[in-house]
Amino acid sequence: MRYFLECTQCGERYESDYGSQICAKCDGILEVKYSKKIPKVEKISSFWDLESVMPEGSYKHFWLGNTPSISSTSSKSLYLKLEFMNPTHSFKDRGSAIEVAKAREYGFRDVVCASTGNMAYSISYYAKLYGLKAKVFISDDANSDKIKDIKSVGDADVEKVNGDFTKAQAMAINYSKKHGSFLCGDYCYRKEGQKSIAYEICASNPEIKNIIVPVGNATLLSATYKALRELKDSGSIKHIPKLIGVQSDMCKPLVVAFSKGSQVRYCKPMTKADGIAVGYPTYGDQALSALKNTSGTAVAVTESSLAKEQYTFLRDYGLVAELASVSVIAAYKLLQPKGQSVAVITGSNV
Ligand code: F0G
């Protein structure tokens, strides 16, 4: 789809050949806007069937996405979308496949990102596929096995930061400015790729009532909302499901802001669930409106429930899921929302 970019902060508009995801005027994050009405996607048999609802680009059609859903053992009304079936075992590949292709298209030779682990693993992999060099800044709470994975799957230069994701993010931004690398991460092109999860969910269940996702930078939550609005506008779904965003009670900036009706404020991440150890979500403001506009909610689950659900997941399905991912099952049990729900099991890198 033909598109342009618009700054979420100052409204500045950029054409699609603008080779950055950040506003040159105010450093705000950009949003992809389409010039035409989003078409209805009739059948999704591969991730790339969704290219028609994504920014036009020179994508190599590597296999990814179209992940399976399984019924939950805990409730007949809940099913689980297994995002760890993606190439680097997390939902991140959907965004990286779009974002890294864009870096290549704009003529960059290097990409840089900040991460708590999975994003860097995924970026490192796609950078290798596209022949680009990757530099990744990893927060000090990332688990050491994820760091090994990043190094084994690609040739990324890994720098462990003395600080959390927010510090790593600032370092990645500085690095991109200083070295002219394409800044990847939780920005607009990734968001477009992440929309594909909601497209797949609604294709198999257009009547779904609740979508439950973990929240770190809230890219997945805000991308899901964007996709749901597109699906409604194109007539693919009649009603927009409720969105439920899940954090740990040891790192819950979105939950606090949602319950107080205030702005999102930084909090120091203390959770062991590294995927959601983000103290200041980049898409916090968009996530708050997504929750409000879908009559959804944000909920915090305990650290002990994460450990328990990880074990139950292994026992019930014979599959491994990471702590951030099983947060959605703990949240389902806590809230017991009415109607059919899907919980997105985002990754299995432990
Ligand atoms: N689940 C997993 C497994 C993750 O790795 C992440 C984010 C999330 C959920 C949260 O998604 O940021 O879109 O709200 N991981 C980032 C990373 C922070 O660097 O890998 P989000």
Side-chain angles (χ1 to χ4, degrees), residues 307-331:
K308 187 171 155 265
E309 289 304 338
Q310 188 174 45
Y311 174 72
T312 309
F313 197 85
L314 176 64
R315 196 196 57 202
D316 287 3
Y317 310 106
L319 295 167
V320 172
E322 56 185 284
L323 291 175
S325 306
V326 292
S327 65
V328 289
I329 304 178

PDB file of all heavy atoms in Angstrom, residues 307-331:
ATOM      1  N   ALA A 307       5.796 -17.540  37.264  1.00  0.00           N
ATOM      2  CA  ALA A 307       6.589 -18.766  37.411  1.00  0.00           C
ATOM      3  C   ALA A 307       5.669 -19.985  37.388  1.00  0.00           C
ATOM      4  O   ALA A 307       5.955 -21.003  36.742  1.00  0.00           O
ATOM      5  CB  ALA A 307       7.379 -18.697  38.705  1.00  0.00           C
ATOM      6  N   LYS A 308       4.527 -19.857  38.067  1.00  0.00           N
ATOM      7  CA  LYS A 308       3.573 -20.969  38.137  1.00  0.00           C
ATOM      8  C   LYS A 308       3.002 -21.283  36.742  1.00  0.00           C
ATOM      9  O   LYS A 308       2.945 -22.442  36.328  1.00  0.00           O
ATOM     10  CB  LYS A 308       2.441 -20.576  39.094  1.00  0.00           C
ATOM     11  CG  LYS A 308       1.479 -21.681  39.384  1.00  0.00           C
ATOM     12  CD  LYS A 308       0.521 -21.267  40.512  1.00  0.00           C
ATOM     13  CE  LYS A 308      -0.757 -22.051  40.402  1.00  0.00           C
ATOM     14  NZ  LYS A 308      -1.823 -21.383  39.685  1.00  0.00           N
ATOM     15  N   GLU A 309       2.629 -20.237  36.010  1.00  0.00           N
ATOM     16  CA  GLU A 309       2.041 -20.457  34.674  1.00  0.00           C
ATOM     17  C   GLU A 309       3.070 -21.010  33.690  1.00  0.00           C
ATOM     18  O   GLU A 309       2.717 -21.765  32.788  1.00  0.00           O
ATOM     19  CB  GLU A 309       1.441 -19.161  34.118  1.00  0.00           C
ATOM     20  CG  GLU A 309       0.182 -18.696  34.813  1.00  0.00           C
ATOM     21  CD  GLU A 309      -0.938 -19.732  34.824  1.00  0.00           C
ATOM     22  OE1 GLU A 309      -0.955 -20.656  33.986  1.00  0.00           O
ATOM     23  OE2 GLU A 309      -1.802 -19.615  35.709  1.00  0.00           O
ATOM     24  N   GLN A 310       4.323 -20.650  33.873  1.00  0.00           N
ATOM     25  CA  GLN A 310       5.355 -21.184  32.971  1.00  0.00           C
ATOM     26  C   GLN A 310       5.468 -22.698  33.148  1.00  0.00           C
ATOM     27  O   GLN A 310       5.543 -23.458  32.186  1.00  0.00           O
ATOM     28  CB  GLN A 310       6.699 -20.519  33.265  1.00  0.00           C
ATOM     29  CG  GLN A 310       7.764 -20.888  32.254  1.00  0.00           C
ATOM     30  CD  GLN A 310       9.038 -20.113  32.474  1.00  0.00           C
ATOM     31  OE1 GLN A 310       9.508 -19.982  33.608  1.00  0.00           O
ATOM     32  NE2 GLN A 310       9.606 -19.591  31.408  1.00  0.00           N
ATOM     33  N   TYR A 311       5.417 -23.121  34.393  1.00  0.00           N
ATOM     34  CA  TYR A 311       5.491 -24.557  34.695  1.00  0.00           C
ATOM     35  C   TYR A 311       4.230 -25.274  34.174  1.00  0.00           C
ATOM     36  O   TYR A 311       4.309 -26.318  33.531  1.00  0.00           O
ATOM     37  CB  TYR A 311       5.659 -24.748  36.210  1.00  0.00           C
ATOM     38  CG  TYR A 311       5.598 -26.192  36.609  1.00  0.00           C
ATOM     39  CD1 TYR A 311       6.660 -27.057  36.306  1.00  0.00           C
ATOM     40  CD2 TYR A 311       4.476 -26.710  37.243  1.00  0.00           C
ATOM     41  CE1 TYR A 311       6.593 -28.395  36.634  1.00  0.00           C
ATOM     42  CE2 TYR A 311       4.400 -28.057  37.576  1.00  0.00           C
ATOM     43  CZ  TYR A 311       5.463 -28.889  37.273  1.00  0.00           C
ATOM     44  OH  TYR A 311       5.393 -30.213  37.578  1.00  0.00           O
ATOM     45  N   THR A 312       3.056 -24.677  34.436  1.00  0.00           N
ATOM     46  CA  THR A 312       1.791 -25.276  33.984  1.00  0.00           C
ATOM     47  C   THR A 312       1.765 -25.403  32.457  1.00  0.00           C
ATOM     48  O   THR A 312       1.283 -26.390  31.906  1.00  0.00           O
ATOM     49  CB  THR A 312       0.589 -24.408  34.454  1.00  0.00           C
ATOM     50  OG1 THR A 312       0.744 -24.174  35.837  1.00  0.00           O
ATOM     51  CG2 THR A 312      -0.739 -25.067  34.193  1.00  0.00           C
ATOM     52  N   PHE A 313       2.298 -24.415  31.787  1.00  0.00           N
ATOM     53  CA  PHE A 313       2.335 -24.414  30.321  1.00  0.00           C
ATOM     54  C   PHE A 313       3.133 -25.607  29.804  1.00  0.00           C
ATOM     55  O   PHE A 313       2.704 -26.327  28.906  1.00  0.00           O
ATOM     56  CB  PHE A 313       2.960 -23.099  29.830  1.00  0.00           C
ATOM     57  CG  PHE A 313       2.698 -22.795  28.386  1.00  0.00           C
ATOM     58  CD1 PHE A 313       1.529 -22.158  27.983  1.00  0.00           C
ATOM     59  CD2 PHE A 313       3.619 -23.140  27.410  1.00  0.00           C
ATOM     60  CE1 PHE A 313       1.286 -21.881  26.649  1.00  0.00           C
ATOM     61  CE2 PHE A 313       3.388 -22.865  26.069  1.00  0.00           C
ATOM     62  CZ  PHE A 313       2.217 -22.232  25.692  1.00  0.00           C
ATOM     63  N   LEU A 314       4.274 -25.818  30.423  1.00  0.00           N
ATOM     64  CA  LEU A 314       5.129 -26.949  30.036  1.00  0.00           C
ATOM     65  C   LEU A 314       4.415 -28.268  30.324  1.00  0.00           C
ATOM     66  O   LEU A 314       4.379 -29.174  29.495  1.00  0.00           O
ATOM     67  CB  LEU A 314       6.459 -26.864  30.809  1.00  0.00           C
ATOM     68  CG  LEU A 314       7.431 -28.013  30.597  1.00  0.00           C
ATOM     69  CD1 LEU A 314       7.907 -28.054  29.146  1.00  0.00           C
ATOM     70  CD2 LEU A 314       8.643 -27.873  31.514  1.00  0.00           C
ATOM     71  N   ARG A 315       3.814 -28.350  31.489  1.00  0.00           N
ATOM     72  CA  ARG A 315       3.141 -29.591  31.887  1.00  0.00           C
ATOM     73  C   ARG A 315       1.925 -29.869  30.997  1.00  0.00           C
ATOM     74  O   ARG A 315       1.717 -30.980  30.534  1.00  0.00           O
ATOM     75  CB  ARG A 315       2.707 -29.458  33.359  1.00  0.00           C
ATOM     76  CG  ARG A 315       2.340 -30.769  34.025  1.00  0.00           C
ATOM     77  CD  ARG A 315       1.567 -30.510  35.293  1.00  0.00           C
ATOM     78  NE  ARG A 315       0.379 -29.714  35.015  1.00  0.00           N
ATOM     79  CZ  ARG A 315      -0.265 -28.989  35.902  1.00  0.00           C
ATOM     80  NH1 ARG A 315       0.145 -28.926  37.155  1.00  0.00           N
ATOM     81  NH2 ARG A 315      -1.333 -28.305  35.581  1.00  0.00           N
ATOM     82  N   ASP A 316       1.119 -28.833  30.699  1.00  0.00           N
ATOM     83  CA  ASP A 316      -0.130 -29.040  29.955  1.00  0.00           C
ATOM     84  C   ASP A 316       0.072 -29.224  28.459  1.00  0.00           C
ATOM     85  O   ASP A 316      -0.680 -29.951  27.811  1.00  0.00           O
ATOM     86  CB  ASP A 316      -1.084 -27.857  30.167  1.00  0.00           C
ATOM     87  CG  ASP A 316      -1.695 -27.868  31.557  1.00  0.00           C
ATOM     88  OD1 ASP A 316      -1.326 -28.743  32.346  1.00  0.00           O
ATOM     89  OD2 ASP A 316      -2.523 -26.986  31.841  1.00  0.00           O
ATOM     90  N   TYR A 317       1.046 -28.527  27.882  1.00  0.00           N
ATOM     91  CA  TYR A 317       1.185 -28.562  26.419  1.00  0.00           C
ATOM     92  C   TYR A 317       2.500 -29.190  25.966  1.00  0.00           C
ATOM     93  O   TYR A 317       2.711 -29.376  24.767  1.00  0.00           O
ATOM     94  CB  TYR A 317       1.088 -27.141  25.837  1.00  0.00           C
ATOM     95  CG  TYR A 317      -0.112 -26.370  26.342  1.00  0.00           C
ATOM     96  CD1 TYR A 317       0.043 -25.335  27.269  1.00  0.00           C
ATOM     97  CD2 TYR A 317      -1.393 -26.686  25.913  1.00  0.00           C
ATOM     98  CE1 TYR A 317      -1.053 -24.632  27.748  1.00  0.00           C
ATOM     99  CE2 TYR A 317      -2.497 -25.994  26.383  1.00  0.00           C
ATOM    100  CZ  TYR A 317      -2.321 -24.970  27.308  1.00  0.00           C
ATOM    101  OH  TYR A 317      -3.396 -24.291  27.780  1.00  0.00           O
ATOM    102  N   GLY A 318       3.398 -29.443  26.906  1.00  0.00           N
ATOM    103  CA  GLY A 318       4.720 -29.959  26.539  1.00  0.00           C
ATOM    104  C   GLY A 318       5.543 -28.912  25.812  1.00  0.00           C
ATOM    105  O   GLY A 318       6.448 -29.233  25.042  1.00  0.00           O
ATOM    106  N   LEU A 319       5.213 -27.653  26.027  1.00  0.00           N
ATOM    107  CA  LEU A 319       5.878 -26.558  25.304  1.00  0.00           C
ATOM    108  C   LEU A 319       6.449 -25.542  26.291  1.00  0.00           C
ATOM    109  O   LEU A 319       5.921 -25.373  27.391  1.00  0.00           O
ATOM    110  CB  LEU A 319       4.865 -25.840  24.400  1.00  0.00           C
ATOM    111  CG  LEU A 319       4.256 -26.651  23.251  1.00  0.00           C
ATOM    112  CD1 LEU A 319       3.055 -25.914  22.655  1.00  0.00           C
ATOM    113  CD2 LEU A 319       5.295 -26.912  22.171  1.00  0.00           C
ATOM    114  N   VAL A 320       7.490 -24.868  25.827  1.00  0.00           N
ATOM    115  CA  VAL A 320       8.120 -23.852  26.682  1.00  0.00           C
ATOM    116  C   VAL A 320       7.649 -22.467  26.249  1.00  0.00           C
ATOM    117  O   VAL A 320       7.611 -22.166  25.064  1.00  0.00           O
ATOM    118  CB  VAL A 320       9.662 -23.941  26.545  1.00  0.00           C
ATOM    119  CG1 VAL A 320      10.346 -22.790  27.262  1.00  0.00           C
ATOM    120  CG2 VAL A 320      10.158 -25.283  27.075  1.00  0.00           C
ATOM    121  N   ALA A 321       7.280 -21.667  27.220  1.00  0.00           N
ATOM    122  CA  ALA A 321       6.955 -20.259  26.934  1.00  0.00           C
ATOM    123  C   ALA A 321       7.690 -19.406  27.954  1.00  0.00           C
ATOM    124  O   ALA A 321       7.923 -19.837  29.084  1.00  0.00           O
ATOM    125  CB  ALA A 321       5.456 -20.025  27.039  1.00  0.00           C
ATOM    126  N   GLU A 322       8.044 -18.177  27.544  1.00  0.00           N
ATOM    127  CA  GLU A 322       8.791 -17.377  28.513  1.00  0.00           C
ATOM    128  C   GLU A 322       7.858 -16.635  29.475  1.00  0.00           C
ATOM    129  O   GLU A 322       6.648 -16.554  29.243  1.00  0.00           O
ATOM    130  CB  GLU A 322       9.800 -16.470  27.829  1.00  0.00           C
ATOM    131  CG  GLU A 322       9.275 -15.531  26.781  1.00  0.00           C
ATOM    132  CD  GLU A 322      10.449 -14.800  26.112  1.00  0.00           C
ATOM    133  OE1 GLU A 322      11.009 -13.870  26.723  1.00  0.00           O
ATOM    134  OE2 GLU A 322      10.793 -15.172  24.985  1.00  0.00           O
ATOM    135  N   LEU A 323       8.453 -16.093  30.534  1.00  0.00           N
ATOM    136  CA  LEU A 323       7.646 -15.484  31.602  1.00  0.00           C
ATOM    137  C   LEU A 323       6.738 -14.367  31.078  1.00  0.00           C
ATOM    138  O   LEU A 323       5.560 -14.299  31.437  1.00  0.00           O
ATOM    139  CB  LEU A 323       8.559 -14.927  32.703  1.00  0.00           C
ATOM    140  CG  LEU A 323       9.315 -15.953  33.536  1.00  0.00           C
ATOM    141  CD1 LEU A 323      10.275 -15.263  34.507  1.00  0.00           C
ATOM    142  CD2 LEU A 323       8.359 -16.862  34.319  1.00  0.00           C
ATOM    143  N   ALA A 324       7.295 -13.508  30.212  1.00  0.00           N
ATOM    144  CA  ALA A 324       6.481 -12.406  29.673  1.00  0.00           C
ATOM    145  C   ALA A 324       5.245 -12.959  28.964  1.00  0.00           C
ATOM    146  O   ALA A 324       4.160 -12.384  29.035  1.00  0.00           O
ATOM    147  CB  ALA A 324       7.314 -11.579  28.699  1.00  0.00           C
ATOM    148  N   SER A 325       5.416 -14.094  28.302  1.00  0.00           N
ATOM    149  CA  SER A 325       4.349 -14.647  27.468  1.00  0.00           C
ATOM    150  C   SER A 325       3.226 -15.289  28.287  1.00  0.00           C
ATOM    151  O   SER A 325       2.058 -15.165  27.936  1.00  0.00           O
ATOM    152  CB  SER A 325       4.929 -15.701  26.528  1.00  0.00           C
ATOM    153  OG  SER A 325       5.996 -15.154  25.814  1.00  0.00           O
ATOM    154  N   VAL A 326       3.600 -15.989  29.347  1.00  0.00           N
ATOM    155  CA  VAL A 326       2.549 -16.641  30.137  1.00  0.00           C
ATOM    156  C   VAL A 326       1.794 -15.643  31.017  1.00  0.00           C
ATOM    157  O   VAL A 326       0.772 -15.988  31.616  1.00  0.00           O
ATOM    158  CB  VAL A 326       3.098 -17.817  30.997  1.00  0.00           C
ATOM    159  CG1 VAL A 326       3.544 -18.959  30.103  1.00  0.00           C
ATOM    160  CG2 VAL A 326       4.213 -17.358  31.923  1.00  0.00           C
ATOM    161  N   SER A 327       2.252 -14.389  31.060  1.00  0.00           N
ATOM    162  CA  SER A 327       1.530 -13.357  31.823  1.00  0.00           C
ATOM    163  C   SER A 327       0.080 -13.273  31.355  1.00  0.00           C
ATOM    164  O   SER A 327      -0.819 -12.997  32.148  1.00  0.00           O
ATOM    165  CB  SER A 327       2.212 -11.995  31.661  1.00  0.00           C
ATOM    166  OG  SER A 327       2.120 -11.565  30.314  1.00  0.00           O
ATOM    167  N   VAL A 328      -0.144 -13.535  30.066  1.00  0.00           N
ATOM    168  CA  VAL A 328      -1.497 -13.389  29.516  1.00  0.00           C
ATOM    169  C   VAL A 328      -2.447 -14.473  30.046  1.00  0.00           C
ATOM    170  O   VAL A 328      -3.652 -14.247  30.179  1.00  0.00           O
ATOM    171  CB  VAL A 328      -1.474 -13.386  27.966  1.00  0.00           C
ATOM    172  CG1 VAL A 328      -0.853 -12.104  27.440  1.00  0.00           C
ATOM    173  CG2 VAL A 328      -0.720 -14.595  27.406  1.00  0.00           C
ATOM    174  N   ILE A 329      -1.885 -15.639  30.353  1.00  0.00           N
ATOM    175  CA  ILE A 329      -2.733 -16.704  30.905  1.00  0.00           C
ATOM    176  C   ILE A 329      -3.084 -16.361  32.359  1.00  0.00           C
ATOM    177  O   ILE A 329      -4.241 -16.501  32.783  1.00  0.00           O
ATOM    178  CB  ILE A 329      -2.030 -18.082  30.814  1.00  0.00           C
ATOM    179  CG1 ILE A 329      -1.641 -18.374  29.358  1.00  0.00           C
ATOM    180  CG2 ILE A 329      -2.934 -19.190  31.361  1.00  0.00           C
ATOM    181  CD1 ILE A 329      -0.901 -19.675  29.147  1.00  0.00           C
ATOM    182  N   ALA A 330      -2.086 -15.872  33.086  1.00  0.00           N
ATOM    183  CA  ALA A 330      -2.350 -15.445  34.479  1.00  0.00           C
ATOM    184  C   ALA A 330      -3.416 -14.343  34.490  1.00  0.00           C
ATOM    185  O   ALA A 330      -4.326 -14.345  35.331  1.00  0.00           O
ATOM    186  CB  ALA A 330      -1.054 -14.961  35.124  1.00  0.00           C
ATOM    187  N   ALA A 331      -3.333 -13.427  33.526  1.00  0.00           N
ATOM    188  CA  ALA A 331      -4.302 -12.320  33.468  1.00  0.00           C
ATOM    189  C   ALA A 331      -5.698 -12.846  33.139  1.00  0.00           C
ATOM    190  O   ALA A 331      -6.698 -12.394  33.708  1.00  0.00           O
ATOM    191  CB  ALA A 331      -3.858 -11.304  32.413  1.00  0.00           C
TER     192      ALA A 331
END
